[in-house]
């Protein structure tokens, strides 16, 4: 366990109106606005938390999902440690657009190794009675597209909101640990002049 606090940048992406700002505001200020305005560009808020003994400052970047704001949001993708792909369970189109959001992120964040990048998928508004996307279908998409964790949330009812951001941190820490393990493997490899290198890099 390390005592250092880690600054992690997570970014919320998804169609306009799926509830990205509401999720961020619920998590950081514990408030919900049923008449929220669309975001223009990007906004960010910080929250400190502890996950599995690690102290983390989570910098949450909330982006504008509407197409007309694309050029205002994409410059902020670089440097993100985790991407939360968000849709609304009562809006099928927002689910079908997840692949486009993933592609947009990988391109503008200039992700070198997309297969290892930590994405987390959020199905928001589960308090709504009329669903257009089932949990099974969403989970299947996550399995097919990179085995991403899937969480169902409600910013309105505060369901799974903290769990979702904690999962984002866990995903980043897992990738970090994997990299540390690989580097350690290489160090041992060089010192021992062994030909059997690390198996993970
Ligand atoms: N019932 C319900 N409504 C929600 C929930 N989350 C957000 N909303 C409502 O959905 C609308 C859009 O929410 P926003 O948080 O502004 O959506 P957004 O994804 O930030 O939208 P853009 O900023 O345009 O990208 C608002 O009226 C919210 O009150 C939820 O979990 N349940
Ligand atoms: Mg917003």
């Amino acid at each position: 366990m390390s005592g250092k606090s880690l600054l992690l940048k997570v970014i919320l992406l998804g169609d306009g109106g799926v509830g990205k700002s509401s999720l961020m505001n619920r998590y950081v200020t514990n408030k919900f606005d049923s008449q929220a305005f669309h975001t223009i560009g990007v906004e960010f808020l910080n929250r400190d938390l502890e996950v599995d003994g690690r102290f983390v400052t989570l910098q949450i970047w909330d982006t504008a999902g509407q197409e007309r704001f694309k050029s205002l949001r994409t410059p902020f993708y670089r440097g993100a440690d985790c991407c939360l792909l968000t849709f609304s369970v009562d809006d099928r189109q927002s689910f079908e657009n997840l692949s486009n959001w993933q592609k947009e992120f990988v391109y503008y964040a200039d992700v070198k190794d997309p297969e290892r990048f930590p994405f987390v998928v959020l199905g928001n508004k589960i308090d709504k009675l009329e669903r257009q996307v089932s949990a099974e279908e969403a989970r299947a998409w996550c399995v097919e597209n990179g085995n991403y964790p899937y969480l169902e949330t409600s910013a309105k009812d505060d369901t799974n909101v903290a769990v979702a951001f904690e999962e984002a941190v866990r995903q980043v820490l897992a990738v970090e640990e994997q990299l540390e393990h690989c580097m350690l493997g290489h160090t041992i490899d060089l010192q021992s002049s062994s030909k059997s290198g690390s198996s993970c890099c």
Side-chain angles (χ1 to χ4, degrees), residues 71-83:
S71 63
L72 295 181
R73 65 177 179 254
T74 51
F76 295 91
Y77 293 3
R78 273 175 188 267
D81 296 295
C82 180
C83 177

Side-chain angles (χ1 to χ4, degrees), residues 20-21 37-39 62-63:
K20 301 177 297 297
S21 303
F37 290 108
H38 284 292
T39 306
D62 169 34
T63 60

Side-chain angles (χ1 to χ4, degrees), residues 157-186:
D157 291 354
D158 197 8
T159 306
N160 270 343
V161 178
V163 174
F165 287 104
E166 284 161 18
E167 181 59 32
V169 172
R170 283 204 180 88
Q171 291 298 313
V172 179
L173 295 180
V175 172
E176 200 190 60
E177 268 168 31
Q178 218 186 351
L179 284 175
E180 276 170 14
H181 177 72
C182 290
M183 285 164 74
L184 190 66
H186 280 302

Side-chain angles (χ1 to χ4, degrees), residues 39-108:
T39 306
I40 298 167
V42 298
E43 290 168 5
F44 78 86
L45 291 174
N46 285 355
R47 177 168 163 178
D48 294 331
L49 73 157
E50 190 186 340
V51 175
D52 304 335
R54 291 286 298 266
F55 293 94
V56 172
T57 297
L58 203 55
Q59 191 172 78
I60 304 164
W61 289 70
D62 169 34
T63 60
Q66 289 182 305
E67 183 56 29
R68 62 194 165 124
F69 297 129
K70 183 173 176 180
S71 63
L72 295 181
R73 65 177 179 254
T74 51
F76 295 91
Y77 293 3
R78 273 175 188 267
D81 296 295
C82 180
C83 177
L84 295 163
L85 295 170
T86 311
F87 71 97
S88 174
V89 298
D90 74 335
D91 174 4
R92 178 143 206 102
Q93 191 59 53
S94 70
F95 173 67
E96 284 171 4
N97 283 340
L98 286 181
S99 297
N100 296 334
W101 285 108
Q102 187 187 25
K103 283 186 203 124
E104 182 176 298
F105 176 76
V106 167
Y107 181 79
Y108 287 99

Side-chain angles (χ1 to χ4, degrees), residues 17-19 22 32-34 87-92 123-134 152-159:
V18 297
S22 301
F32 176 76
D33 180 358
S34 58
F87 71 97
S88 174
V89 298
D90 74 335
D91 174 4
R92 178 143 206 102
N124 190 40
K125 304 197 190 181
I126 55 157
D127 57 281
K128 291 217 168 181
L129 298 176
E130 306 241 324
R131 288 181 72 128
Q132 292 186 358
V133 184
S134 69
E152 300 218 312
T153 58
S154 166
K156 185 180 179 197
D157 291 354
D158 197 8
T159 306

